[in-house]
């Protein structure tokens, strides 16, 4: 069983590849019922796949794990995580294990893949150039072919991950600032002259934080639900969504 979150498709691709290789079900946490009790088959692996947000697992993944439960003992099951990040993951594995503790789970293996960047919410942070997008995807596909047999064989250990030079500063200090200060939908706006009211932004929002849909211009609910995943921004077919002045003249990306 693989639980995954993906805003712009990188981690969905990874979850699908792992699901196919292990013949195990993949479950999008956005479609999964909260507080559901899952039944595992004998020897079934438990995987958690997500993008790194602010050098930590995204809030939506940690909130989901807080409501997750399994029938029976979990300690005989192999548990792993596979993450995607534009660059560095910091102490994301430690944060994940911190929340898995209440389920009696601890990851036996972890790996991360460098995938095209989707964070555009701060100055100087932009999507990757097309050559970098292609190179990251090719390298990740190659590495994944090496990692998959290790997951199939339930091998222990952390396969190469990119922690960053200062994982504590990144995850504990900057990650905390990110969660406290930057998880806000307040700067989102739509350029009415470009918006064609297709409703895609509202459809792709993983937290149902956009009022809109086909025939309507989007409005953000300001209900403390936004995780600034930028799915609305990246999937807009007319580049009509901005995040204050931070996204002006920046690129868009979603996995194709
Ligand atoms: C809110 C947010 C925060 C991010 N934080 C990080 C980060 O701390 N380190 C990093 O390398 N990439 C970071 N990224 C980039 C994503 O982790 C990366 O692009 C990921 O592959 C996106 O996956 P998805 O398409 O499945 O959503 C961030 C992206 C977003 C939207």
């Amino acid at each position: 069983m693989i639980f995954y979150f993906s805003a712009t498709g990188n981690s969905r691709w990874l979850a699908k590849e792992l699901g196919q290789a292990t013949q195990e079900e993949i479950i999008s946490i956005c479609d999964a019922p909260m507080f559901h009790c899952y039944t595992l088959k004998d020897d079934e692996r438990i995987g958690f796949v997500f993008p790194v947000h602010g050098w930590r697992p995204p809030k939506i993944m940690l909130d989901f794990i807080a409501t997750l439960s399994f029938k029976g003992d979990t300690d005989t099951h192999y548990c792993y995580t596979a993450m995607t990040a534009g660059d560095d993951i910091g102490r994301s594995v430690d944060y994940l294990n911190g929340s898995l503790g209440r389920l009696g789970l601890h990851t036996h293996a972890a790996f991360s893949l460098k995938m095209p960047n989707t964070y555009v919410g701060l100055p100087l942070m932009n999507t990757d150039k097309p050559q970098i997008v292609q190179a990251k995807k090719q390298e990740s596909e190659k590495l994944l072919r090496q990692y998959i047999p290790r997951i199939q064989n339930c091998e222990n250990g952390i396969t190469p991950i990119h922690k960053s030079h200062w994982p504590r500063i990144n995850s504990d200090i900057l990650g905390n600032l990110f969660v406290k200060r930057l998880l806000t939908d307040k700067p989102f706006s739509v350029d009415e002259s470009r918006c064609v009211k297709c409703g895609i932004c509202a459809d792709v929002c993983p937290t149902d934080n956009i009022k809109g849909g086909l025939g309507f211009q989007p409005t953000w609910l300001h209900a403390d639900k936004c995780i600034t995943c930028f799915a609305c921004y990246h999937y807009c077919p007319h580049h009509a969504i901005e995040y204050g002045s931070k996204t002006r003249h920046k690129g868009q990306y979603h996995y194709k």
Side-chain angles (χ1 to χ4, degrees), residues 56-99:
R56 296 180 183 187
K59 182 178 177 298
I60 194 171
M61 181 50 98
L62 297 179
D63 288 349
F64 174 76
I65 291 171
T67 74
L68 184 61
S69 63
F70 294 99
K71 223 171 246 166
D73 276 347
T74 49
D75 43 4
T76 54
H77 293 269
Y78 177 75
C79 177
Y80 67 95
T81 180
M83 293 151 287
T84 69
D87 287 299
D88 304 318
I89 69 160
R91 298 180 60 231
S92 293
V93 181
D94 298 338
Y95 279 80
L96 177 70
N97 280 326
S99 29

Side-chain angles (χ1 to χ4, degrees), residues 122-134:
L122 284 173
L124 304 177
M125 294 195 177
N126 201 349
T127 49
D128 295 313
K129 300 234 166 0
Q131 309 90 287
I132 306 282
V133 167
Q134 184 145 353

Side-chain angles (χ1 to χ4, degrees), residues 30-59:
C30 297
D31 302 332
M34 295 288 251
F35 299 103
H36 185 73
C37 184
Y38 290 87
T39 306
L40 295 162
K41 298 190 192 101
D42 289 346
D43 301 328
E44 187 170 2
R45 302 167 193 81
I46 309 171
F48 295 92
V49 178
F50 53 84
V52 169
H53 282 185
W55 297 280
R56 296 180 183 187
K59 182 178 177 298

Side-chain angles (χ1 to χ4, degrees), residues 6-11 51-55 84-88 116-119 228:
S6 178
T8 38
N10 288 342
S11 312
V52 169
H53 282 185
W55 297 280
T84 69
D87 287 299
D88 304 318
N117 178 50
T118 55
Y119 191 68
T228 63

Side-chain angles (χ1 to χ4, degrees), residues 4-13 50-56 83-90 92 113-121 125 128 136 162 170 178 182-183 227-231 234-235 253-255:
Y4 80 90
F5 168 68
S6 178
T8 38
N10 288 342
S11 312
R12 187 177 308 114
W13 159 75
F50 53 84
V52 169
H53 282 185
W55 297 280
R56 296 180 183 187
M83 293 151 287
T84 69
D87 287 299
D88 304 318
I89 69 160
S92 293
L113 297 175
K114 281 195 191 197
M115 287 292 280
N117 178 50
T118 55
Y119 191 68
V120 288
M125 294 195 177
D128 295 313
K136 280 183 166 177
H162 317 278
N170 288 137
F178 175 78
L182 298 179
L183 291 189
I227 55 163
T228 63
C229 69
F230 286 94
H234 288 295
Y235 280 102
Y253 167 84
H254 61 87
Y255 186 91

Side-chain angles (χ1 to χ4, degrees), residues 160-174:
I161 53 175
H162 317 278
K163 271 194 170 185
S164 88
H165 293 301
W166 309 282
R168 282 193 181 277
I169 293 176
N170 288 137
S171 297
D172 301 355
I173 299 174
L174 300 178

